[in-house]
Amino acid sequence: MSSLVQGLIKSLAMTVLSEVGDNTFFATAILAMRHPRRPVLFGCLASLTVMTILSAFVGWAAPNLISRKWAHHITTLLFFGFGLWSLWDGIKDEGDDDEFAEVEAKMDAELKAETGTTKKNSKDDDELKKQKRPFLLQFFSPIFLKAFSVTFFGEWGDKSQLATIGLAADENPFGVVFGGIIGQALCTVAAVLGGKSLASRISEKIVALSGGVLFIAFGIQSFLSTVES
């Protein structure tokens, strides 16, 4: 199996099991329920694509900053660490599946705060609003930018981002990017089209346990593989 295909398959599997049922998945579903689906879909996909490319670039650059041997060992430890983390999350999950409600409540609070701010500024005349309109809003819709920002900052420092960095340090970075983007696209489309009905049927416990097993398998494979000089 070529290194590109191997990196793609690993990245695809890791992304799907990491993203399905996480906060970003639920946030995407909620946004799609409240706004037109198209700008939500494009905003989330653009954000996740940028995040995947940035993460893979960091992973690709890591062996150039430290020795490839150390990068390989660190990646192996990351896989085992994420595997144990996911398994622990799955074991302690009592099956309440209330994460969707928590994310929805948080977004409701943010929406109320934004609405209050909008009402206070409602007396401004239209010309003044146009002059003060943010630069990005001149090119992108507010819904697109909201979806982009919610997804980007939700993924920043997330387990899947760190795992992508680790994969890109140990596998073909192009394969990791392609696999990550495909996986993110599948999860995002599912969240946008499925909405609450799909999100409420996802068992976070099963997803966490499956992800944990996958990370442990990656760790074992990485531990047993040889390091290229």
Side-chain angles (χ1 to χ4, degrees):
M1 183 183 296
S2 69
S3 60
L4 187 145
V5 175
Q6 180 171 296
L8 187 151
I9 293 174
K10 279 188 173 184
S11 181
L12 175 60
M14 180 273 298
T15 300
V16 170
L17 286 178
S18 296
E19 293 301 322
V20 171
D22 77 341
N23 285 348
T24 306
F25 184 89
F26 292 143
T28 301
I30 293 169
L31 286 172
M33 290 162 49
R34 298 178 177 178
H35 304 288
R37 290 178 174 179
R38 184 175 297 179
V40 171
L41 176 63
F42 290 156
C44 292
L45 284 178
S47 176
L48 292 169
T49 299
V50 170
M51 180 66 74
T52 301
I53 293 174
L54 287 176
S55 302
F57 176 78
V58 173
W60 169 80
N64 297 316
L65 301 176
I66 58 177
S67 69
R68 180 166 291 278
K69 181 178 179 181
W70 274 105
H72 177 81
H73 293 331
I74 292 172
T75 300
T76 303
L77 290 176
L78 278 176
F79 287 149
F80 280 120
F82 289 148
L84 294 175
W85 181 5
S86 296
L87 289 175
W88 175 248
D89 285 343
I91 292 172
K92 72 177 184 178
D93 190 335
E94 298 178 354
D96 295 333
D97 292 339
D98 59 348
E99 190 171 352
F100 183 91
E102 292 177 4
V103 175
E104 190 172 24
K106 182 179 179 181
M107 294 185 70
D108 283 338
E110 293 176 353
L111 180 62
K112 289 180 180 178
E114 291 176 2
T115 303
T117 303
T118 302
K119 288 181 178 179
K120 289 181 181 179
N121 298 329
S122 61
K123 295 182 179 180
D124 295 342
D125 56 63
D126 293 339
E127 192 63 32
L128 187 59
K129 285 182 179 179
K130 290 180 180 179
Q131 292 177 1
K132 292 185 176 181
R133 193 178 187 188
F135 176 77
L136 289 176
L137 286 177
Q138 298 177 23
F139 303 97
F140 303 102
S141 73
I143 298 173
F144 175 93
L145 293 177
K146 183 177 180 65
F148 186 98
S149 60
V150 167
T151 304
F152 188 87
F153 292 110
E155 285 295 305
W156 189 262
D158 187 68
K159 182 165 50 180
S160 61
Q161 184 201 18
L162 299 177
T164 300
I165 293 174
L167 269 179
D170 214 35
E171 301 288 346
N172 185 298
F174 293 104
V176 173
V177 169
F178 293 145
I181 291 176
I182 294 172
Q184 298 284 13
L186 291 174
C187 293
T188 302
V189 170
V192 170
L193 297 182
K196 186 175 183 178
S197 61
L198 175 62
S200 61
R201 294 177 185 175
I202 294 174
S203 172
E204 297 171 31
K205 185 181 186 72
I206 293 177
V207 171
L209 291 175
S210 301
V213 171
L214 182 69
F215 277 122
I216 293 294
F218 284 173
I220 294 174
Q221 190 272 338
S222 181
F223 178 76
L224 296 177
S225 64
T226 57
V227 184
E228 296 180 2
S229 57

